[in-house]
């Protein structure tokens, strides 16, 4: 096997730092410099999950040493968290973290009526942020007009 076999056995060591540290570092800096806060959530969530993974790895290293596949599992997990096509960090935040650390009232604020909170809770994070910005900028009455117009359009089809 030679060189190819050695590279395959140490794939996690070769690719890992770039995938787990360099690219997220670069993307985090870009997110900080961008005016949008949506990409900030992706990268803050990534760093939190990467920290949890590292803490898990450090605290269970004697057990993980018995599993030679662990470095590859960690690499695949981090690739899934990092790559924009998977958006894994945001997925985990939306489906697991938010459920345990946020309740709907404190997350959405108290200035929205209860029916808005229910609708906003069912939306994706990007959609929710866009609707919240729209309501904050133009007010709830403008949002009601948009909803009524959308309902009329939906009834036509």
């Amino acid at each position: 096997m030679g060189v190819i076999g050695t590279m395959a056995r140490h794939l996690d060591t070769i690719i890992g730092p770039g995938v787990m540290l360099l690219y997220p570092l670069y993307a985090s800096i870009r997110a900080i410099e961008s005016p949008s806060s949506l990409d900030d959530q992706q990268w803050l969530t990534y760093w939190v999950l990467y920290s949890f993974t590292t803490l898990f790895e450090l605290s269970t290293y004697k057990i993980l040493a018995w599993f030679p596949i662990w470095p590859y599992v960690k690499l695949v997990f981090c690739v899934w968290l990092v790559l924009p096509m998977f958006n894994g960090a945001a997925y985990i935040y939306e489906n697991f973290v938010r459920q345990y650390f946020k309740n709907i009232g404190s997350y959405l604020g108290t200035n929205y009526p209860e029916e808005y909170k229910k609708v906003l809770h069912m939306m994706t994070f990007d959609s929710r942020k866009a609707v919240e910005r729209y309501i904050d900028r133009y007010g709830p009455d403008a949002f009601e007009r948009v909803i009524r117009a959308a309902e009329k359009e939906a009834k036509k089809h």
Side-chain angles (χ1 to χ4, degrees):
M1 277 291 210
V3 174
I4 295 175
T6 302
M7 287 179 66
R9 279 193 303 274
H10 300 290
L11 190 63
D12 62 309
T13 314
I14 296 168
I15 296 176
V19 170
M20 292 186 262
L21 296 171
L22 293 178
Y23 177 72
L25 178 64
Y26 169 73
S28 297
I29 292 170
R30 286 190 55 196
I32 291 169
E33 296 299 323
S34 76
S36 172
S37 65
L38 297 175
D39 50 359
D40 296 351
Q41 182 211 4
Q42 161 70 18
W43 295 110
L44 283 171
T45 307
Y46 169 79
W47 289 112
V48 168
L49 294 172
Y50 181 76
S51 298
F52 279 137
T53 304
T54 303
L55 286 172
F56 169 76
E57 187 176 34
L58 291 173
S59 61
T60 60
Y61 71 94
K62 289 185 179 184
I63 297 168
L64 292 175
W66 288 88
F67 298 100
I69 196 167
W70 167 250
Y72 303 104
V73 170
K74 181 180 175 185
L75 179 63
V76 168
F77 177 68
C78 287
V79 165
W80 181 73
L81 290 176
V82 166
L83 289 181
M85 70 178 77
F86 299 120
N87 213 10
Y91 175 83
I92 288 180
Y93 179 79
E94 287 290 326
N95 293 300
F96 299 105
V97 176
R98 179 175 285 151
Q99 291 179 14
Y100 296 106
F101 292 106
K102 301 280 183 184
N103 66 25
I104 187 73
S106 66
Y107 176 71
L108 295 174
T110 56
N111 57 343
Y112 296 121
E114 197 60 37
E115 61 270 7
Y116 285 2
K117 290 179 184 179
K118 289 177 184 175
V119 171
L120 289 171
H121 181 63
M122 292 185 285
M123 300 172 89
T124 65
F125 181 76
D126 295 339
S127 302
R128 187 176 320 139
K129 282 301 204 185
V131 168
E132 287 175 343
R133 278 195 306 266
Y134 186 86
I135 292 172
D136 289 342
R137 179 178 285 166
Y138 300 108
D141 294 332
F143 185 61
E144 282 292 328
R145 289 191 298 273
V146 169
I147 291 174
R148 277 186 255 129
E151 287 173 345
K152 284 181 187 176
E153 191 64 31
K155 288 178 184 177
K156 289 181 184 177
H157 300 287

